Amino acid sequence: MTTNQISIPKNKLWMAAIKPPMYSVAIMPIWVGSAVAFAETKIFNGVIFAVFMTAAILILAWENISNDVFDAETGIDKNKHHSLVNLTGNKQLMFWLGNLCLGSGLLGIIAIALLQKDPTVIGIILLCCGLGYMYQGPPFRLGYQGLGEILCFFAFGPLGMTAAYYSQTQTWSITNLAASVIVGIVTSLVLFCSHFHQVKDDIAAGKRSPIVRLGTQKGAQVLVWFTASIYPLNLLLVGLGIFPIWTLLSWVSLPFAFKLCRHVLENHDIPDKVSNCKFIAVAVHFWSCLLLGTGFMLG
């Protein structure tokens, strides 16, 4: 155990490993997709919503756990004290725990399909899981090629929200697809922000993350553009009559967006200071998506 690890309380390392705030990225596509479904059809099945939410959390737990397992194989996490594999010292245990979470989550999705007598949702979620595996798992490891944000956009945006909408209505929606673009962008920002503080380790392990490819300064500028894009896009969709005006409530998240952009622009090349930017990105994600869905419910 290193000196740095000894100086950090064990409970804080475990909380960092479990990452409770990060689970909003699993919850919000279900929330916004179900809210759009209610706005368009006045249909809301609370049982399906609760089962889907639980399943999404379990599937994301699998992704997080297996990410630590696969990263342990490449050695990229050797300095990551809050890696679950490093904390437990048991990669095999973590591998099977991750698979248990995946299996349990998929059972929930199967239950929804059985309730609906329609397997469509299973197919969409299996595709999301496939993208999740390709991000981190061998032989693909697309996250190591800098493609993780693209996979994240589709898994948590268009695909995740389509599954949520379909689980409520068994139909499709252009409005939901438009909303999924916003959710996909703001979810990908969370992953994008996770790279700034680990450039050195990524380079050593041969991981070409977007920040390794762009450099931290240009990466910070790209972050600003993508963070800023969700607000005029929301306004445009309201102006076109696709979104109800109440969805402009998501602009209440702007202070968090300003904080994120300012923090990364000022500290992009200082790992110890920029390392918390992903949690500011989670706040942008949480409030913008929560209020976007609320706007649809009110509209």
Side-chain angles (χ1 to χ4, degrees):
M1 187 178 288
T2 67
T3 303
N4 286 340
Q5 190 168 353
I6 292 172
S7 66
I8 304 172
K10 199 80 170 182
N11 63 323
K12 288 191 175 182
L13 287 173
W14 276 104
M15 288 300 289
I18 297 169
K19 310 181 192 72
M22 294 294 182
Y23 285 87
S24 71
V25 305
I27 292 168
M28 288 305 158
I30 316 304
W31 160 244
V32 180
S34 300
V36 177
F38 178 78
E40 293 192 328
T41 66
K42 303 306 175 189
I43 294 171
F44 182 81
N45 187 312
V47 171
I48 286 178
F49 178 79
V51 171
F52 207 148
M53 192 83 76
T54 303
I57 290 171
L58 286 166
I59 291 170
L60 183 60
W62 159 70
E63 291 190 3
N64 288 336
I65 294 169
S66 58
N67 185 58
D68 279 2
V69 171
F70 294 132
D71 279 349
E73 294 175 355
T74 67
I76 198 171
D77 278 354
K78 64 181 180 180
N79 296 317
K80 183 180 176 182
H81 305 311
H82 59 276
S83 160
L84 287 166
V85 174
N86 290 342
L87 280 171
T88 62
N90 194 329
K91 185 174 71 173
Q92 196 70 9
L93 173 64
M94 289 298 101
F95 175 76
W96 287 111
L97 179 61
N99 287 339
L100 177 63
C101 290
L102 174 62
S104 301
L106 290 177
L107 282 177
I109 301 301
I110 292 169
I112 292 172
L114 290 174
L115 282 171
Q116 293 186 322
K117 299 178 181 178
D118 183 342
T120 303
V121 170
I122 297 176
I124 300 171
I125 295 302
L126 284 176
L127 183 53
C128 289
C129 292
L131 293 180
Y133 181 82
M134 290 171 70
Y135 165 69
Q136 57 203 352
F140 307 101
R141 300 192 191 277
L142 296 184
Y144 280 66
Q145 307 306 316
L147 301 175
E149 282 70 16
I150 296 172
L151 299 178
C152 179
F153 171 84
F154 284 103
F156 292 94
L159 288 173
M161 281 186 53
T162 294
Y165 186 96
Y166 195 92
S167 73
Q168 292 288 331
T169 64
Q170 292 181 270
T171 57
W172 316 97
S173 166
I174 294 297
T175 299
N176 185 63
L177 186 61
S180 76
V181 173
I182 293 176
V183 175
I185 291 172
V186 77
T187 306
S188 295
L189 287 176
V190 177
L191 179 58
F192 190 81
C193 284
S194 71
H195 303 304
F196 280 96
H197 70 290
Q198 54 190 29
V199 172
K200 189 175 180 180
D201 286 341
D202 286 350
I203 292 173
K207 181 175 182 178
R208 302 193 67 203
S209 73
I211 305 305
V212 169
R213 287 175 177 270
L214 294 169
T216 59
Q217 184 173 13
K218 188 172 286 185
Q221 294 166 353
V222 170
L223 173 70
V224 171
W225 280 102
F226 274 101
T227 304
S229 71
I230 64 175
Y231 299 99
L233 180 56
N234 183 191
L235 182 62
L236 174 65
L237 291 165
V238 169
L240 293 173
I242 298 172
F243 284 9
I245 194 168
W246 283 105
T247 59
L248 293 178
L249 279 171
S250 67
W251 283 52
V252 172
S253 65
L254 262 173
F256 295 102
F258 280 122
K259 180 180 179 181
L260 173 65
C261 295
R262 184 174 63 249
H263 182 68
V264 175
L265 284 171
E266 291 175 355
N267 303 293
H268 60 86
D269 58 348
I270 310 173
D272 289 343
K273 288 189 176 182
V274 79
S275 62
N276 68 331
C277 70
K278 63 184 176 182
F279 295 107
I280 306 174
V282 168
V284 177
H285 174 272
F286 176 80
W287 289 109
S288 61
C289 293
L290 177 68
L291 294 170
L292 181 66
T294 300
F296 277 108
M297 296 292 279
L298 292 175

